[in-house]
Each structure stands twice: as structure tokens, then as C-alpha cells.
Amino acid sequence: MKVGIIGSGGREHAICESLKKSSKVSKIYCIPGNAGTNLIAENVDLGIEDFKKIKNFIISNNIDIVVVGPEKPLVEGIVDYLESYQIKVFGPNKIASQLEGSKTFTKKLCKKYNIPTAKFGIFESSKEALSFLKNCNLPIVIKADGLAAGKGVYICENNKACLQAVDEIFNGKFGEAKKILIEEFLKGEEMSFFVICDGISYKNFGTAQDHKRVFEGDKGKNTGGMGAYSPSRLENNDLNKKILNKIINPTLKGLNDLNSTFKGFLYAGLMVVKGEPYLIEYNVRMGDPECQTILPRLKTDFAEIVLACVNKNLDSISLNWEEYKSLCIVLCSNGYPDIYKKNVEIKNLSEINLKKDEFIFHAGTKEFDNKIFSNGGRVLNFVVKSENFKKSRDRAINLIDQINWDGGFYRKDIGFKIIDK
Ligand code: AMP
Ligand code: GLY
């Protein structure tokens, strides 16, 4: 079958690699893809916001199934649009995508179905928000509603920071803001928890620990993710049961009650506090860099899984995973997540000899004149799976050192909570 992947990050390159391994897949198109996907698929230079052109391309190239990587087109309804032309799509519809697109939608669902989450309030003006904040304990978390690409969340330690957060959000720093969310600060350990769904049933799709802060020791600003390891050190059967019973099942029931279902990856961002899971946020797609970290551990044919989801028979296959410990380090452009240069050449990349269980997934890269250039904040993902996290990390760092790229930086301490104790 012919598959189309929408997106251009490390997540999409990893998805592309997994699909390529399947004997079921004859051709892959990446819309628009990056310099890495270009090596194994055909990149198609279309904007991911241009649904009509994407639809025309899919139909005229007889693409059998489409996998949507990023949240933005999902939240904007690309699945509903393509399905209205009888195109098979792996990803949730517009109603279900509100789980990521609107924090207030998710919080209201949590309240109605008793899903454990931080206590919260929703406010429609800065006056209301500020008067509520006067009586809150600090630190407190202030969030913009809607998509903010991993930003738009402030953890405020003092009144000045609260004022600044409310001011920036209502002044449109993350797009037009009609609502603001103020919530209790949860102190615990985060975990990214994934399930894959076909609209009727679902299966676990691994866990990971992301590292969102830009600097070592979890310091500095929030980013899209500087690295991850999988499985999360928190994973165990008891916690797994609690997450499914208290969070995932009631969420899917809530969607059913809205006459909707969930098809695709559902990613619960959790805070685990003394063994109890709390929902921090939902994402309606795979995580990035969690996807690059988790997929190399999957033994089952990924194309068969995607097909089963679209055909609503996920129940018919079992998912098998390698026991390996997988770790991903993201190489970023100097200056990220603030201002950084683009179009910086990355030499030496083609000279690296990847050994078994080593992977380089491209993110913000592009090819020109047979050379590779940076084209974004997060540029390359180095993933290694081995029998322990320390080995995986040492080997990933060794790969990055071989590139010796002076346009970028990375965190050497990914997995520090589990490796450097
Ligand atoms: P979000 O975009 O909602 O995932 O938030 C970004 C990051 O802010 C999360 O990964 C957490 O590290 C942190 N965060 C968000 N909400 C809370 C909370 N209620 N308590 C503690 N940390 C939080
Ligand atoms: N790694 C965080 C995210 O994909 O949102």
C-alpha cells in the first residue's frame, strides 16, 4: 500500500522509518518531510495547512492511507475533511482533538468524569484572574488556552511572575486568548503515557520520560523536548491500571457521550504524585521526541497496526516490544528556544557509520545541492537502544561528537534521574 505522512519533524521521520520496514508498504510520501525522510520517501512540498491541495495530491497519487503527525492540522479538522472524500486517515477527528486544542474542554471533561487532575479555575478577563490569584498559594501554574507549541505555560513562584503571565497571555503572546487557566502546582514526577486507539478499543503504546527544559539539570525555558528515554522509570502494573481506569477509560467514555470516538495516538501527559497519576494535559498525537524513542522498541509491524486502527480491528493484533532501554538526545540550533540561525550546514553527517540499534532521525533539516542544512530549532535526534540507559546515552553522545557541529548544542544529561543517581 501507499502511505502518506503529514509533518516534517523527528516524529515523522521515525514514523517513516517504521513504516518503511513493513512488507505491506510499497511507497511513502512525506508532506512536506525533511532531509531525512527524503532519503527513504518522496517529499511533497505542500503546506500542512493546505487541506485542499493535500487532498488533491492524495487522490491523484492513489495514496491508501494517511498518517497525521502534528497536532495543528488535527485540531483544525484535517481528519474530518479528508474522510469526507473517503480517504483513510490515522488520527483523531476535530471533536476528539479538542483534548489537545482546548485546555478548558479537557478540564471540563475531567470534572464531569472525575478524572484526577490539578484543581483549576477558568477566567475570561485579566481582572478576574488577578483577583483570584490574590488568594492562591504559590507556586501556581498559569496557562493559555489553545495550542501554544509547548509554550504558554507559566509556573509562577511570585506575584510579579503571575502578573506577567496573565498580561502576556491576554495580550496575545500565544495567539488570541479569550480564556486563561489557573491551576494548582503538582509536585511529582512526569511521565508520557501513550495508547493507540481504533475508535472501539485501544492498546498501550509505551511510556517515556521527556526532558522539556532547555538546560541540564532541568533548568531554563520550556522547549518542545530536548530528549527522552523509554520506558519511563515509573512504569509498573499497578500504576498502569490506575492510569487506564481513572484517566484513559473515562476520557474515551466522555468522547462517546459526545457522539465521538478516538482514532490515533492518545498521549497523556501525567504527573505521578506518590504513586497516584494526575492528568496534566492531553495530546492527540505521538510525542516528539517520545515517538523517536519508543518506535525503535516496537517489534510488531507498524503498518499493520495503523491499518488495523483505520479498519477498526485493532483487537485482532497483539503488540510486542523489545526489552531494550531506548534513549534519545536532541541536537538543537544554538539559541533555541529563542532566536536561532537557520541554513547552517551540517557536515560529516553522511560519514557517520550507524551501528545496529543506533538511529539518527532528522527534524529541522533540509537538503540543498547534496548538502544538509539546519532548518529549525530542533535539528537532529540521536537514538540508541541497548541493555541499559547509561550505555544508550554514552553511545548517543558519541554519535553527536562525531558530527562535531558548531551550530548546535544538546543536553548531555538526558535520563539523569535514572542514570546519575
Ligand atoms: P503542558 O503544556 O500543560 O504540558 O505544561 C508544560 C509543562 O509545565 C509540563 O510538562 C509540566 O512540566 C509543567 N506543568 C504543567 N502543569 C503543571 C502543574 N499543574 N503542576 C506542575 N507542573 C505543571
Ligand atoms: N514531547 C512533548 C510533546 O510532544 O508535546
Side-chain angles (χ1 to χ4, degrees):
M1 65 182 178
K2 290 180 169 184
V3 186
I5 301 171
I6 295 177
S8 61
R11 169 182 48 214
E12 287 74 24
H13 187 191
I15 289 174
C16 199
E17 281 283 354
S18 286
L19 291 172
K20 197 197 80 174
K21 286 195 285 188
S22 170
S23 57
K24 284 200 148 44
V25 174
S26 54
K27 167 121 194 166
I28 306 176
Y29 296 91
C30 261
I31 309 171
N34 58 38
T37 61
N38 198 33
L39 300 171
I40 50 175
E42 180 175 329
N43 280 356
V44 182
D45 192 16
L46 292 176
I48 62 170
E49 64 296 328
D50 199 336
F51 294 180
K52 193 170 170 197
K53 282 198 183 138
I54 292 176
K55 177 261 296 174
N56 289 340
F57 184 85
I58 291 165
I59 292 175
S60 59
N61 288 279
N62 299 312
I63 295 177
D64 299 290
I65 192 163
V66 178
V67 178
V68 187
E71 61 277 16
K72 197 157 181 285
L74 291 169
V75 171
E76 286 168 1
I78 193 165
V79 173
D80 312 61
Y81 177 78
L82 295 178
E83 284 180 345
S84 74
Y85 291 91
Q86 278 73 51
I87 295 169
K88 290 187 171 183
V89 196
F90 176 79
N93 61 24
K94 194 170 180 178
I95 292 180
S97 296
Q98 288 178 89
L99 286 174
E100 177 160 4
S102 164
K103 292 191 194 298
T104 60
F105 174 87
T106 302
K107 281 295 195 186
K108 284 181 183 162
L109 191 101
C110 287
K111 201 165 185 175
K112 187 164 172 199
Y113 294 88
N114 242 328
I115 296 169
T117 186
K119 294 192 196 82
F120 67 99
I122 295 167
F123 303 91
E124 296 190 357
S125 72
S126 68
K127 201 168 150 220
E128 275 176 70
L130 291 173
S131 89
F132 175 83
L133 280 164
K134 273 192 197 135
N135 301 313
C136 288
N137 294 329
L138 297 174
I140 191 131
V141 185
I142 304 183
K143 299 183 178 182
D145 196 25
L147 293 181
K151 295 160 195 143
V153 174
Y154 295 79
I155 297 180
C156 302
E157 311 268 353
N158 55 49
N159 290 334
K160 194 172 157 233
C162 291
L163 273 172
Q164 188 185 351
V166 172
D167 198 53
E168 288 187 358
I169 292 172
F170 277 120
N171 280 323
K173 186 161 179 192
F174 309 99
E176 194 196 358
K178 293 208 175 80
K179 292 178 195 144
I180 200 167
L181 203 88
I182 301 180
E183 67 178 43
E184 166 199 19
F185 176 78
L186 293 174
K187 197 167 164 31
E189 189 167 330
E190 279 181 72
M191 173 181 190
S192 303
F193 186 92
F194 299 90
V195 293
I196 189 166
C197 316
D198 69 356
I200 300 168
S201 67
Y202 69 84
K203 289 187 189 288
N204 284 22
F205 208 83
T207 60
Q209 172 72 53
D210 189 12
H211 297 62
K212 289 213 170 85
R213 302 291 195 94
V214 66
F215 298 128
E216 285 172 19
D218 284 344
K219 305 254 164 38
K221 290 192 175 167
N222 258 338
T223 67
M226 299 294 293
Y229 66 82
S230 169
S232 159
R233 70 165 176 171
L234 300 170
E235 196 180 303
N236 66 56
N237 282 341
D238 184 41
L239 182 63
N240 187 53
K241 263 191 221 147
K242 284 183 191 165
I243 295 167
L244 299 183
N245 290 334
K246 294 184 174 186
I247 297 179
I248 305 293
N249 293 339
T251 300
L252 296 176
K253 172 163 189 339
L255 289 178
N256 279 336
D257 292 347
L258 289 172
N259 283 327
S260 184
T261 55
F262 198 97
K263 163 168 52 72
F265 285 118
L266 179 60
Y267 159 2
L270 305 173
M271 187 69 85
V272 180
V273 185
K274 299 189 183 118
E276 292 298 320
Y278 290 81
L279 181 73
I280 292 195
E281 59 158 3
Y282 266 129
N283 297 305
V284 295
R285 49 166 176 92
M286 234 355 218
D288 182 336
E290 290 96 326
C291 184
Q292 300 87 299
T293 319
I294 291 176
L295 271 183
R297 293 181 46 233
L298 178 67
K299 285 205 258 184
T300 314
D301 184 324
F302 185 51
E304 273 181 31
I305 301 173
V306 168
L307 194 62
C309 284
V310 171
N311 291 333
K312 296 194 167 59
N313 57 12
L314 181 62
D315 238 3
S316 68
I317 35 181
S318 58
L319 306 195
N320 296 308
W321 299 91
E322 288 172 349
E323 288 296 318
Y324 282 133
K325 311 289 185 200
S326 176
L327 189 137
C328 170
I329 303 180
V330 183
L331 180 61
C332 299
S333 297
N334 288 332
Y336 175 77
D338 294 319
I339 297 165
Y340 54 84
K341 272 198 231 159
K342 287 189 182 177
N343 295 316
V344 183
E345 191 183 349
I346 309 164
K347 296 178 186 157
N348 307 338
L349 198 51
S350 58
E351 278 150 44
I352 292 185
N353 253 330
L354 289 176
K355 296 201 194 84
K356 187 171 172 285
D357 300 332
E358 298 179 346
F359 310 85
I360 299 178
F361 297 118
H362 289 232
T365 63
K366 65 174 186 193
E367 193 215 285
F368 180 71
D369 225 5
N370 283 325
K371 293 179 186 148
I372 308 279
F373 295 87
S374 64
N375 187 35
R378 293 191 293 169
V379 180
L380 292 166
N381 303 269
F382 297 80
V383 180
V384 180
K385 54 182 186 184
S386 77
E387 62 272 30
N388 70 58
F389 286 122
K390 171 137 189 12
K391 264 194 197 156
S392 297
R393 185 173 72 185
D394 288 346
R395 283 169 64 186
I397 290 175
N398 181 268
L399 291 173
I400 300 178
D401 286 348
Q402 288 179 49
I403 292 192
N404 193 20
W405 185 49
D406 62 10
F409 74 101
Y410 65 97
R411 274 181 65 169
K412 290 192 176 67
D413 72 336
I414 300 303
F416 70 98
K417 284 189 182 155
I418 201 166
I419 300 173
D420 305 324
K421 277 189 299 177

